[in-house]
Structures are given as C-alpha cells and as structure tokens.
Amino acid sequence: MEIKIDDKTYRAKAGQTILEVCRENKIFIPTLCEHSDLGLSEGVCRMCLVKTNKHRGLVTSCQTKVEAGLEVITEDFDIERARRYNLELLWADHAGKCSFCVSNGNCELQTLAIKLGIDVDDFVPNEKDFSKEEQLKLLKNSLKNRVVDDKNPSIHRDNQYCIECRRCIKACQLIQTIDSYGVNYRNIKTNVGTPGEIPLDCIYCGQCVAHCPTAAITEKSNIKKLDEVLLNSEKIKIFQVAPSVRFTIGEAFGLEPGTLVEGKIITALRKLGADLVFDTTFAADLTIMEEANELIGRIKKKIRGEEAIFPMFTSCCPSWVLYVEKYYPELIPNLSSCRSPQAMLSSLIKTYYADQKNIQPENIVNISVMSCTAKKYEAQRSELGDGKNLDTDIVITANEFIRMVKQKGIDFLNLKDGKFNKTMGVSSGAGVIFGSTGGVMEAALRTAYEQITCDELGKIDFEEVRGSKGIKQSEIIIPKSRCSVQEIKIKVAVAHEIRYARKLIEDIKTGKCEFDFVEIMVCPSGCLGGGGQPTPVNEEIRAKRRKAIYDRDKGLSIRKSHENSEVKKIYEDFLKEPGGYLSEKLLHTSYVDRKRK
Amino acid sequence: MTIQEILLQHEPEKKNILPAIKAINQNLSWVSEEAIGKIARYFGESEAYIFSVASFYDEINFNKPALLTLEICDGANCQIKDSDNIIKNVETFFKIKVDSFNNQFVLKRMSCVGRCLEGPVVKINGTIYTKMTTDKVIELIQNYLGY
Amino acid sequence: MKILTKDWVIGESLNFQDYLKVGGYKALRKVLKKMKSTEVVAELKKSKLQGRGGAGFSLGSKWEIVATKKCDQKYFICNLDESEPGNFKDKSLGENSPHQILEGMIIGAYAVGASKAFLYINGTFAMAGQKIEQAIEDCYQNNLLGKNILASKFDLELEIFYGAGAYICGEESALINSLEGKRGEPRLKPPYPCDSGLFRKPTVVNNAETLANVAWIIENGAVEFAKIGKPDSPGTKLFSVDGAVERPGLYELTMDNTIEQIIRTAGGVKEGFEIQFIQVGGSSGRIVPRFLLSEIPSYSRGAVIPIGSGAILAVSANEDLKKILLSWINFFQRESCGKCVPCREGTFRLKSIIERLVSGDFDQNDRQDLHKLIWTLDNTTFCPLGKFSVVALKDVIRYKMIKEF
C-alpha cells in the first residue's frame, strides 16, 4: 500500500508500524524504549509520537500500524514539544551525572538530549533551594530506593540511571526466557529490577547490558584493576584477544560493523602496556583439536556398542555452561569436558609458556579482551586455576577496551597494524568463525571429518550450520575411507539464544529428535552479539559482523584447526596428543550441579 | 495457615493470581520472598513476574508488619474536613514522617475509600475508622502501641 | 422520579427475598422467556442509557458490538472499582441493593452472549463485597445463575473479584489486565475491549450504576426511560453530595437538574458558609464557579459541565484552594501506574511545584514548568489519567482562581 509521511508518498506493507516505514526511508524518529530485537514496543517513553489523519491527538509511531490512506506528520510544533518536554522530564534525574558516568558518550539518552538540545536541568529545584532540607526530597532519587547491585562478577546495575524503558525485562524474557527482571511498584517509585531487589543470580549473558540505553546496566568494570596492573612493572602482562571483537570494536570509532581492526587492537594494547599479545583464536583451534577428539571418542564407543553419552554439547560458552548447571544439571555428562578457548590459553600461558621462557607463573597477569560478560564469571571459577591462583586474572569486554583507549587518548583509527606474538598468536579460519553461531560446529566438523577419514575435505564450507536461524540441523555423512571402514553419519544441531536452545533440549529429552553433536551459544548470533560488544546492536549490524567473519575465514589459507602450525608444534613439544595426560590436566575441566533446590 | 494451604484454595489459573496474592497478604500480614517463590511456582510464572504484579497494588505489604500501620485519607473530601492537619499533627506528635519505616509505626497516605460522608477516614492495621479528629487518632494509636 | 433508589430503605440492605417482593428479577424473567438477545440489545440502545462511570458511552452500542461478534467465548464485566475521591454511589448500590446490579449483569450477559461474568469490586468495600457475595449465592441457589437459568438454556457463571488498591484499575483495560493476573496498567487502544478484552476475547465492561438501570428499562420500556431527564442524557443519576451543604449524602435525581437544584436537594448551602466553587465528578472533575451554578451537568455532547461520575463537592470560601489543589495532584501522583514517562515523572514534578505553591516558594521557573507539565500531561500520556490529573488545574487557571499562576 501507499502512505504519506510529511506530504511525501512511500510504500508500506500491511502489518508494519509507522516507525518501521520511517526507518526504512531514513526519516528520523527518536526512540528510547523500542528495539527491533525485542518484539512489540510498549510505548512508554513517548519519544516517537506522531500525528496522523486517522487518529486524534498524538500517537506512538512504534505501536501504530499502517493502513491504506494513512497520512503521517513527523515534525510540527506539538510533536517537537512532546519530545522536548518528555525528554526534559527524563533528563531531570540525569543532569550533571554524565562526567562520571561509565556510559558517557555511549548513552542513548545523552545522544538524544544532545540532538534535541536539552541543556537545562529543568524540573529540579534551583540551587538556592537546596539548603532547605524539605527540598531535597524533591529529587527523585531520594524518594526512589537507590539500588546498586554489584554482587556478581559480570553485571553491574545502578538504578539511578534507569529510565524505565523496560528493554532489559524483554531481553531477558524474550531472548533467554529466564525472566530475571520485572517492573516493580508504582508511580514515581516504579523500579525496573529484580524481585525484592535481590542480587542478580542468572547466567550473566549480558543481553540486558547490550540492550540498556543508559548506564543502568553495564558490565562489571575491571578497568581500575587493570590500570593498577599496567602500572606494575614487576608483572608480565599478557593479553589475549577473542575472535569476534576484532570485527566489532571498530564500530565505536565510526567504522562499518565487521571492519577488521585486529592490527589496531594489538597496537593499542601494546600502547596500553601489554608485554605480550596472544590470540584467543589460536586456543580456539586447540579447543577444536580436543573437542573433535572427544567427539570421535564417543562415536567410536557407539560403533563398538559401548556406552556413550549423546548428544555431546559444546562448552565454550560460559553462559550456556551455567545454564546447564542451574537448570539441566542432568545434562552435565553431555557437556564436552573441554575448557573454553580463553581458559585453555590462560592455562597454557601459566604452564607451557612460563616454562619455556623461564618465568614464574605468579608474575604473569593474564588479561583477556572478550565479547562477553559471562567470561568474567568464567574466569573466577575455581576449577580454572591451579588451586591457589586463577588462570585468567582479568577479563575486560570490548566495551571496556574501547573506554580505555578513549580515556588514554589513543588515536585508534590512525594506529599502525600490529601483529600477535607468534607462539600462541597463529590461527586458522576455523578458529575465526568461533565468533559466529555455527562456527564452533563447522570448525569441529572440518577437523573431525579429516581425522576420521584421513582424507582431505572436498568442500570446506558447511553452509547448513550457518546463519541466524534459531535452530539449524544437519546430517554430515563421513564416507568410507582408508582410515574408516564404514560410513559414519553425524547428526548435528546448532542453536543460539536460550529460547531456541531450550526448545531443542526439550525435543531431545522427549526423544522427538536425536543428535550426536550440538553447539549452543547463548547470545544472538553467538559471540558477535555478546553482552560486551559495542552498542547499538540489531539484526542488521549482527548480519554485517557475521558476513565479515565468514569472509575472513574464506580469505585465509589455513582454514582447518589441525593445520595450524603453532597448534601442531604445541602438541609435538608439550601436550603430546589430544586427550592425553597433560591435555586432561590443563585443557579440560569439570562442572558443578548448581540447581536451586 | 501455611502459604501452600492458602494457594491450594485457588485453582492455578491466571484470574486467581491476584486473589491468591491478596489471600496470602491478608492471612499472613505480609508477602515474603519465600511466598513470592511459592506463588510463582504454583502458577507457573517467574518470580520476577509475580513480584512485579504484587508490588503494583497498595494493599500488598512486603515488610514484616509493623506493630501499627496507620493510613490517613488525603482525598479532597476528607481534606476539607481537616485530614491534612491530622496527618501533620500525627507526624509532629510521634516524630515520624509519612512513608518512613520503622517496625513500630508506619504512617501512610491513603486514597479515597468512598466513606466521604463520615470523613475524615483513617485505616489502622486494615480496620477503617471514621469521623476522626487529631485527638481521637492519637488516642487510638496510643492504645494500639500499648501506652 | 426514582429508578434506582425507589425501593431502598435507609440503613438496610435489600436481601433476595426483599428484592423479589419489590418486583425483582421480573425483568430477567421477561428477557429469558419472551425476548431474543437482539431484542434486548435493541431496547437498551433505544433507551440511550449512558455509562455512569464517567465516560457516558452508550451502553446499547457497546452491547451491540459484542453481541454481533461470532466468538467461542465472550465476557461480561461489571466495574465496581469506584476509586474516584468523593464518590460513594457504586459502593452504596452494592451495600443497599446488590441484586439490582446482578440482574443488570445477567440480562447484559444474555444480550451479548457471554457465558462468564465478573464483578470487579474495590478491595476496601468489605461490606458491599459481603452483600454481593451473598446475593450471588442466592442467585445460584434459585436458578438465576449457573446452568440453564430459569429453564431458558442460558448458562452464566458469575464471580466476584476484589481489587487490591489501585485507582487506575477503574479504567476498563487496566481492570481487564488486573483480572488477568497482571499489573493494572492500561492497554493500548485500539483494540477496544469489545473487540479484544479479557483474555483477548470480546468483553463488555459496564459501570455498576449503569447496570442497575437495566432491569427498570426492560420492565418499563426504553421509550419511558428516554422521557426522563434530557433527550440526549436520559434517566436519573446518583449524586454523591458532600462538603458545605446541610445534608451531605447520596441523592437520586433526574438528569435535567441544575447544580443549584442538586445542592438544594441536599439541604442547600450550609448555614453560615459561602460557596467558593463546586467540583463535579470527583478529583478529576470540572470546577464550577458561582456564575455557572445554573448549568445542568449531563452526558450531553455539548454540556458546559460534563457530569462524569456525578460526585458533587461543595467547597466553601473558608477552604484554601491551594491545599485542595495539592490534594488532587497528590492523588493522581500516587495513583499513576508508572508506565509512561509523562505521567510517572510529570505528576511527580507537578506535585513538587504545587507543594512549593503551598509553602510559598513558587517562583517564575515553577510557573513555566507548570504550563509545560499541563500540556505534556494533557497531550502525550499513554492513557487518559494524564488528562484527568490536570482537568481541575486547568479550570483553576481558566477562572484565575490562584493569582500566582
């Protein structure tokens, strides 16, 4: 159908909202509570109000659907007033707080306030009144309970910055079906948070962080801790960089989503004070070696008629591991015993590398730059250490890295490209695709196929497990070969977001479907959509990030984990073989039943 | 009665969520964290959802009940019968502020309950008292608190 | 002329037997034995009976929309949440003559094809609730509720539902959300409850007083009803009269009375007092200055004073208007559901400003903010509560009743 917006005609499809049509045609309408990831908007912020010929007064463009003959006005005196006054009402609680706020410069409320020219702290009593004790109660914060939750290692909440947009509630409810948050109380005391203000106790995926427009929900910051370490000349600071962040960090500096800024990240880290910069992607290849070996072990047992537990689930996503421990502890035996790439690398640094270079492991500080908030939780798991010290000392998210770079005034865009340190800095395309949903699966299949058949893979790309669909399934047929006397069929599934993972698990449990190997990532589209990645984020941005990751894989000459020269070296020199004694000790782990009784 | 016994008096249907919350609040004088958990499990909803619903309504109390909860109507009809002064006088006399909390005495403002003709109206521990004056209210409070 | 209170006995409640004695449930019998549901709808539409919760929407039109829908389940809801300050008409109905309401509900449910009905009552109305529960029990015992009512093959289950303290639940979509076990936040309209209401099914929500008129209309006919009151605002109305009058109380009068006449019925202005203004409809009601006392409050489209819920508050010249203004604003601030920014934040900021007015600290900035807030609450809120919160304030400004403004 055709509709008119500001006197121009545009095409629109039935079922679209006015906002969607405006966005498609680059017509600006401010929003705060609406988000394309989160289903139907509730229309609470009143920023997107417009006028139409079919409605009386102002209506929300995020909720009003188009119809034939609709005429919309998006700019006039009333609409301007509506936006301005409502923004002033929201700004009344935030004025003056920007300079010490972690989201300064990266806040949707601030951006909108700047755009609309809100520069007054209206609705708050003038300074002269502050001397009166009575007037202080007029500040909303003193009426509303200030809730600060910093009781978990991953996510920090401070409701003084909350604008009650309800996005976090929907993110947790819709994407992860965990429902940690609700909107509580009424009138000015309305508070978006946990029931009874109990500390957050979830799977720390950080999707609430990713969807919060202000600093109400952020990652737990380790910047202070890192700053102290960087000043300590006695410690050897070893950084590792996650596969996906090198495709997203550029967004904070104005680059297109998916732009590869690996080299600049490395140089920036060295400028910040890194002694060594390794690549977590290297460890991703290691993970594949161990995990493919584990999978093949289970398959061989099945063939021999011995007892083997299927399906095997990947275990590199710490949020997913926590989900199994808390909600499906009976599936713990199904989890791969492999540590995540971060954990594997940190462990090897403090043993293999420390040994090689004659360094005391206590003098090493392992710092990882990750896409995710749950990695902060993972780093402090007691299994991932030597009993006295933890393997990974500090985890910072991509966002924290960006903040540090900006704080120190590093001219990121003009940095020369640096290189990883060689020992644990070489990676294959299979490692790179870990950043996307389906990547771990594909990487494992590339290696498993060749290891079973001793033949070369014809087609390297397993397109069936790529893409943003919630659940993807496939059957991989591994033909008879000189190393494998019979044909082996591997049934695989890939799911991302708990809402889909859950469905898959239930179907598996009820016997509706059967799989040998399942990859689960908790964040939308995998790590590239993680809770620590730059915001804003939406499906369009994630699609660009995804494409960049697979393009990079395609452009590399080494695309299989077992062909990584440094990986081969570390097995030759140290680990001996996947699943061997040292591997078990340093690269595998165990899990804990954490179900609430 | 126990929380479970109260819940079992209601079929686990959506229309019984608010009645069940009210019943627990009425019976036990407050809704505890434990109660929220039990209600959530009984109705198949998350705890965050049940707390979100329960905390919307004025009646529901989430703190162990104070010895005395005094609510004074501040609607226009009671206001012109001087209810505002009763609030101020109680605050002064007992050195307590509206909406501040101690486990002895909680003072709140209340919305109209339709007994305007017998105003000013107050509610003490859920019981409605009408045709109140400052003196009468202070006497009632002193009786409740035992001095 | 009395329709609603004609059989009331002061200080007593009409129980089931009493109600039957004065002709109760004759209308229901007539409907179930002699009338098709379409005829019932037509009759109520012809009567032009308007919603007495405040909105004044045609009851017959609401019933018609739902009646013509083909759906496996429809609901009928009576709104007795009455929380507007200064109103006690529905509470009185519930206490004095609960069966009047029930009869209206049963006839209504039959007319629209609903098999399940709810009576949503303010949680603090303990006595009215008790009387209604007894009345419901009596109906079930006497084949007036349940299966095959009066052998007509019409089934109806009717339940009482107690609110838990939230004025906004008097708004029909918020009421429905509350019934569904949710926060009592209003819903986006459209769709309206007639199309998508309780559990997304077609639902009628009518005020208790409106429903109490239904039986009389069925028995005496729509034409007779339309003769009473005004042509575009027929029937009688329960007025909750309070303030500086000799005999504050509940009065039933025809819809063609002026405010002066209503005051006179309540004994006139109290001896020794002078009227500052009258407020009609509760805290969200219009202000009537002395020179407009000859207006007729009604549901007519062009009424100078819309009657709303019919509460009449006579405010004497002794009263400090600023304090009363604060009382109104306090109420709406407390009752805001907190969903949308303008109402949640705006009513709070408005309250601060009026508090400064009362304490004498009102300044230029406050005046500026005041007008901004009034516009914002009047035009940008999610639901009409924003508009309600500034109705009286706007009149105070319009009639220049506070010089600081």
Side-chain angles (χ1 to χ4, degrees), chain B residues 22 49 52 57 74 81 111, chain C residues 163 178 181 183 242 327 334-335:
Chain B
K22 275 176 62 101
Y49 178 78
S52 164
Y57 300 97
D74 67 353
K81 300 180 178 85
S111 289
Chain C
S178 186
R183 287 168 67 83
D242 194 15
S327 167
R334 186 168 56 234
E335 296 296 341

Side-chain angles (χ1 to χ4, degrees), chain C residues 207-380:
Chain C
N207 173 264
E209 185 190 351
T210 324
L211 289 170
N213 281 285
V214 169
W216 191 99
I217 293 175
I218 294 293
E219 273 211 84
N220 297 279
V223 172
E224 284 305 307
F225 186 81
K227 284 191 192 151
I228 308 167
K230 288 172 72 188
D232 56 356
S233 185
T236 62
K237 182 79 184 72
L238 290 174
F239 293 96
S240 313
V241 187
D242 194 15
V245 292
E246 281 297 332
R247 290 191 303 275
L250 188 69
Y251 295 96
E252 181 182 6
L253 294 169
T254 54
M255 279 280 212
D256 51 0
N257 280 277
T258 64
I259 296 172
E260 234 158 19
Q261 285 169 312
I262 300 169
I263 303 277
R264 229 177 298 139
T265 315
V269 180
K270 199 159 181 195
E271 176 98 34
F273 285 77
E274 222 185 80
I275 296 292
Q276 196 185 151
F277 64 87
I278 308 285
Q279 191 177 29
V280 176
S283 291
S284 63
R286 299 298 300 275
I287 305 253
V288 186
R290 297 228 298 268
F291 63 86
L292 286 177
L293 291 178
S294 52
E295 289 295 329
I296 298 175
S298 74
Y299 290 116
S300 310
R301 273 272 165 78
V304 171
I305 304 295
I307 191 170
S309 55
I312 308 278
L313 180 63
V315 180
S316 80
N318 300 346
E319 300 298 332
D320 183 352
L321 174 57
K322 293 179 187 165
K323 292 213 175 121
I324 299 184
L325 182 56
L326 183 57
S327 167
W328 294 329
I329 303 295
N330 239 327
F331 175 74
F332 288 106
Q333 187 278 320
R334 186 168 56 234
E335 296 296 341
S336 167
C337 79
K339 179 152 103 162
C340 73
V341 169
C343 182
R344 178 183 73 238
E345 309 285 331
T347 53
F348 172 68
R349 298 296 171 187
L350 193 56
K351 175 176 139 147
S352 318
I353 292 175
I354 304 301
E355 278 177 346
R356 280 201 288 285
L357 178 70
V358 168
S359 71
D361 297 307
F362 189 81
D363 63 15
Q364 279 280 40
N365 282 327
D366 285 328
R367 187 182 306 123
Q368 233 183 358
D369 292 348
L370 179 76
H371 290 279
K372 271 183 170 168
L373 286 170
I374 291 176
W375 187 87
T376 309
L377 285 164
D378 216 8
N379 291 287
T380 69

